[in-house]
Structures are given as structure tokens and as C-alpha cells.
Amino acid sequence: MVEPVNSISPRSAGTAMLPGLIAAAAAVLPAFLLHWIFPWLPVLTAAVLLGLLAANVPGASTAVAGPLKPGLSKAGKTLMRAGIVLLGLKVSLVDIAGLGWVALVLIVALVAAAFGGTYLICRAFRLPGDEPLLIASGFSICGVSAIGAIAAARRVRHEDTVVPIALVTLCGTLAIGVLPLLSSLMGLPAETFGIWTGASVHDVGQVVATAQTAGTAALAAAVVVKLARVVLLAPAAALAGLVDRKAARGEEGAGKLPPLVPLFVLGFLALIVVRTTGVLPESVLSAAAVVQEILFAASLFALGAGVRFRMLFASGVRAVAAALASWFLIGSLGLALALFLSR
């Protein structure tokens, strides 16, 4: 029997993806080197910048848009999800419970207010498609991890996540320099500054880079508050999946319904439980943290490599303005929370 000419065997598809996967893996080392040379620059931010450079420099851009594209697309989606699963090993429910029920209720309220406010801001600036939802998720919960999880739950195309990820990376990086300066001008105590950082900054790596400028007390407070926000990734993804299922059920002739909660989010929850039990030694947790950062770096390089500046700037003025307005909103909410909890 003759195989149809338009069919592609799994082996051929795997071979086609290999160059892009290798490129994403190779980008991890220079991202870590940039962080080593410039400690204020997080590894994940460096990975995004390298991807943007590859996508827009003549010669490299041709390879990125051509033979490397299948593998980069695979890396941007699959490695991101694997990194989200390992993110669960950073979250101990015991540590979060130590904040007390008042603080936990206020953190949930802050996330809800930040999400709703950012979504309305993005709609007011007329950002297209699912960008308001993805940006609101990233700003209010945990940056690129939240964008990846919500995009999967909503079945958003990989290409449509690149602008939200670029914006959340931009604002999270700005926070590393701006928040310590503002804290110094206001004379905030270290713990208050740490709570503000954990409540306002997007990615865990950006939180660490920002809070450590004020010492270990600020860093400890920031990480616990931040991880309390990270836990909300699972219910947010479940809610987004529920909405998508209802929409799919309402479409005439809809086929198989999407899962309520993506499998990798269940993996994230499972590893939270494992971390909370305390059965894993610190060496394993440290190794998992490094692997998670490597996975995120490779995936963010791949996502950055999908961004052409002309595409980013097509609605760039409105998008950047919306992101900065949202950043101001969550920064203000986070500061109010920090001042209240530090009374």
C-alpha cells in the first residue's frame, strides 16, 4: 500500500523538530552567563532577550522562521509546562499557612482585584483576542507560568502568548530596579519591602532578584507571600478551563470537550503536596529548582524567538501603556497590603 504523499511520519516530525529543540537548549548557557555577568538581570529575562535578538537579527531570523521553527514551537509549549510542574516543589502549604488566615484572605483579594483591574485596563486599551486575559493572569498570579497555564486551559495558540509574555517580562524586570529605589525613598522596613515585593512582582525569579537587595528578612517575607499567589494558579486554570468547556459545549457540532484542568496543572498540584510533606531532601529541591529554571529559560528563548518587532509594535503603544498602567495598579495594591500587614 502506497503511503499518501501528504502524510508525515512521527519519525519525520521528530527529525524536523530536532534543530529547534537543540537551539532552545543551547540558548540556556548564554542566558545563565548573562545573569552571571549582570546579576541584576534574571536568567529568564535574559532568555527572552536572546530569543528576541534571534528573531530580529538578519540571518538568525531566517533560521528561526524556517528550519528551527517546529522545534522552537514545541519547546515553547512543552518545556514551559514541564517547568510549571516543577514549580510545585517550591510551594509548601505549611509555610503559606504560617502567614495566618487574615493575610491569606487579603492576598486572595489582592490577586482578584489585580486580575479584574488589569483585565479592564487591557480591554479599555482595546488589546485584541485573549491578550487581556493572559496579561491579567500573568500580572496578578505568577508571570509567565500563569500565562502558560491559562493559555493551555483556554487552548490559546502558542503564537498568541508572546506579547503577554514580553510585557510581563518587561514590567517584572523594571520592578527589580524601581521597587528598591522607591522603598529607600519611603524608608520602608525590610519585612514591609519584602511583602510588597512578593505581592507585586510577577515571576518568582524576579521576586528573588528584587527582594534580596534588602537582605534575608525581606527575601524570606517576599518568597512566602509570592508562593501564596502561586498556589492560586491551579484554581485560576480550572476556572479558565471551565469557561472554555462551556463555550465548547455551546458551539454547534463541538467535538470532544477540553479537559477541565490541564494535566500539567494536576502535576503542579501533586508536587505541592509532595513538597508540603517534607519527604524530599533539600538537595533534591535545589536540583529541581535548577532544572525548572533551565526548562523555563529554554521555553522563553523559544517564545521570544517567535516575536518580530514589527508584530510586537503593531499594537505596541497601546499594549505597553496598558501593561504600565496595570503594573502601577498591582504595585499600589501590593504596597497597601504590605503596609497593612506590617502595622
Side-chain angles (χ1 to χ4, degrees):
M1 180 178 179
V2 179
E3 184 179 5
V5 294
N6 62 345
S7 65
I8 301 176
S9 69
R11 183 175 180 179
S12 299
T15 302
M17 288 190 293
L18 189 58
L21 292 173
I22 292 174
V28 172
L29 179 58
F32 273 88
L33 285 175
L34 283 172
H35 172 63
W36 181 69
I37 297 169
F38 306 106
W40 52 267
L41 181 67
V43 171
L44 304 188
T45 302
V48 173
L49 294 175
L50 289 171
L52 289 171
L53 189 65
N56 294 278
V57 170
S61 61
T62 302
V64 163
L68 299 182
K69 186 174 181 179
L72 290 174
S73 180
K74 182 69 172 177
K77 180 171 64 175
T78 303
L79 299 184
M80 170 71 72
R81 295 180 181 185
I84 292 173
V85 172
L86 288 179
L87 181 62
L89 287 179
K90 291 187 174 180
V91 183
S92 170
L93 297 180
V94 174
D95 293 341
I96 292 171
L99 291 170
W101 70 269
V102 173
L104 292 176
V105 168
L106 290 175
I107 289 170
V108 172
L110 176 142
V111 169
F115 181 94
T118 298
Y119 183 81
L120 292 176
I121 288 170
C122 292
R123 290 297 299 270
F125 278 91
R126 304 190 308 279
L127 299 191
D130 285 306
E131 282 188 14
L133 176 64
L134 297 179
I135 292 171
S137 302
F139 273 63
S140 62
I141 304 174
C142 54
V144 296
S145 304
I147 292 173
I150 300 301
R154 292 278 296 169
R155 296 182 295 173
V156 176
R157 292 187 311 159
H158 159 78
E159 294 81 3
D160 294 335
T161 66
V162 292
V163 171
I165 284 175
L167 293 175
V168 81
T169 302
L170 167 67
C171 290
T173 303
L174 287 174
I176 297 170
V178 173
L179 262 62
L181 175 62
L182 292 177
S183 176
S184 177
L185 292 174
M186 291 185 287
L188 296 180
E191 185 177 359
T192 303
F193 172 64
I195 295 172
W196 183 23
T197 300
S200 306
V201 182
H202 311 320
D203 282 307
V204 175
Q206 294 165 345
V207 168
V208 172
T210 306
Q212 67 185 3
T213 61
T216 55
L219 181 59
V223 169
V224 175
V225 172
K226 176 59 187 176
L227 294 180
R229 291 168 60 200
V230 171
V231 171
L232 297 175
L233 175 64
L239 182 59
L242 180 61
V243 172
D244 195 43
R245 282 171 66 90
K246 288 183 176 179
R249 187 180 289 114
E251 294 175 1
E252 185 176 353
K256 183 180 178 181
L257 292 176
L260 177 59
V261 181
L263 186 60
F264 69 92
V265 176
L266 294 178
F268 165 76
L269 286 172
L271 290 192
I272 289 179
V273 174
V274 172
R275 171 61 190 270
T276 302
T277 63
V279 298
L280 295 180
E282 189 61 36
S283 59
V284 173
L285 296 176
S286 298
V290 173
V291 173
Q292 182 228 332
E293 193 161 34
I294 290 172
L295 291 170
F296 271 149
S299 67
L300 287 176
F301 171 80
L303 288 167
V307 180
R308 302 295 183 274
F309 285 142
R310 62 180 180 274
M311 176 187 72
L312 183 60
F313 295 137
S315 61
V317 174
R318 288 184 286 112
V320 172
L324 292 176
S326 302
W327 184 48
F328 177 79
L329 170 66
I330 192 171
S332 300
L333 292 172
L335 179 59
L337 175 69
L339 292 173
F340 180 83
L341 293 179
S342 301
R343 291 185 308 169

